[in-house]
Amino acid sequence: MNNNLYLSTGKLFLVISIIAIGVIHIVSDHFPTGLMPVAASLPAKQVLAYLTGSLMIVAGILVLVKKYTAYGALLAALLFLLALLLIHVPKVLAEPNNPSEWTGTFEVICIMAGALILLGNISKDGGSKLIKTGTYLFSIGLLVFGVQHYMYAQFVANLIPAWIPAHLFWDYLVMAAFFASGISFIVNKLTRLAGGLLGLMFLIWMLILHLPRVIANVHTEAEWTSLFVALAFSGISFLIAGLATTAKN
């Protein structure tokens, strides 16, 4: 794909994901349990979930309107930053040995990173810094996920559909892809190739792993959330690929 197609596809995938995660807040009547594990004791939890979901939907729609894209990207980045600071940082500090907390934390960081990349792509001043910041944050997330694929290899392997052979092989292959892509993005070498392949990998896993799980568990919020997180990561990867030769160093 050429750069414009990478950018338009990446933007579309990320925006669909942000809007969908917003809808999940509203339809499920609560914050997504893995992505934003808000304590059950939080006052007015349901109202806050509706408000957060609505703001995510608004952010996604604004991104699609050229005149307001910057406002939408900024709003999305702020929403995920608040989720990081108010939900995940306290939980990680309280449960540093809980792998689920680290996963959710870096999923939020990565989607926030995607919003920063979107914002940087349309910013006249400081755009390259936003793109670099977003790319580095996304890269760190990839490295963390790579480590988790190694530490919890058997758990991850058990998530792979039964019809696919050699589950551990695929787990380690994905781990290697995370490490290779993350390092590529950080050192800015083979970035376009790495971003394109990584985006395709996330898209394939969304279709053959997450979509069947959603179909089998259509009323399970966590499966829907995981599907759109994978789609968001595919979009962010394509954005990085599309900006590989246009972002200023």
Side-chain angles (χ1 to χ4, degrees):
M1 293 194 293
N2 60 39
N3 283 6
N4 287 336
L5 187 54
Y6 271 130
L7 290 173
S8 59
T9 302
K11 176 182 175 180
L12 180 62
F13 284 1
L14 181 56
V15 169
I16 288 173
S17 301
I18 291 172
I19 292 174
I21 292 171
V23 171
I24 288 170
H25 278 76
I26 296 171
V27 172
S28 66
D29 293 330
H30 60 75
F31 290 87
T33 52
L35 190 65
M36 297 181 181
V38 173
S41 59
L42 180 71
K45 179 181 176 181
Q46 188 179 53
V47 173
L48 289 173
Y50 287 152
L51 176 61
T52 302
S54 298
L55 288 174
M56 286 186 177
I57 294 170
V58 169
I61 293 172
L62 288 176
V63 170
L64 293 175
V65 181
K66 188 174 182 180
K67 184 178 178 180
Y68 301 109
T69 298
Y71 297 106
L74 179 59
L75 177 57
L78 289 174
L79 288 171
F80 283 96
L81 176 61
L82 287 174
L84 174 66
L85 297 177
L86 299 179
I87 302 172
H88 285 287
V89 170
K91 291 183 75 67
V92 165
L93 292 176
E95 303 176 64
N97 296 319
N98 185 343
S100 296
E101 282 306 321
W102 287 100
T103 300
T105 296
F106 279 94
E107 285 178 346
V108 165
I109 288 174
C110 286
I111 298 175
M112 180 184 71
L116 291 177
I117 292 170
L118 271 181
L119 184 59
N121 186 40
I122 61 172
S123 298
K124 295 180 180 179
D125 299 320
S128 62
K129 292 182 179 179
L130 287 170
I131 292 170
K132 279 189 175 182
T133 300
T135 300
Y136 289 155
L137 289 173
F138 187 65
S139 301
I140 293 170
L142 293 175
L143 297 177
V144 170
F145 298 143
V147 170
Q148 288 189 315
H149 272 250
Y150 175 76
M151 293 179 65
Y152 308 105
Q154 192 58 59
F155 172 79
V156 176
N158 289 338
L159 298 176
I160 298 174
W163 59 269
I164 299 177
H167 288 190
L168 276 175
F169 165 78
W170 291 107
D171 170 70
Y172 287 127
L173 182 64
V174 171
M175 177 193 73
F178 285 158
F179 284 137
S181 300
I183 293 171
S184 172
F185 297 158
I186 290 171
V187 302
N188 198 25
K189 300 293 184 182
L190 301 176
T191 306
R192 191 170 188 274
L193 176 63
L197 291 176
L198 185 67
L200 181 61
M201 185 188 78
F202 277 122
L203 184 59
I204 290 172
W205 284 115
M206 188 206 78
L207 294 173
I208 69 173
L209 172 62
H210 293 289
L211 185 57
R213 291 176 66 92
V214 164
I215 294 171
N217 304 276
V218 71
H219 297 296
T220 304
E221 167 266 307
E223 297 295 351
W224 282 98
T225 302
S226 294
L227 182 145
F228 286 108
V229 168
L231 183 63
F233 282 22
S234 175
I236 297 165
S237 301
F238 286 145
L239 283 174
I240 293 173
L243 290 167
T245 58
T246 59
K248 295 180 181 179
N249 294 321

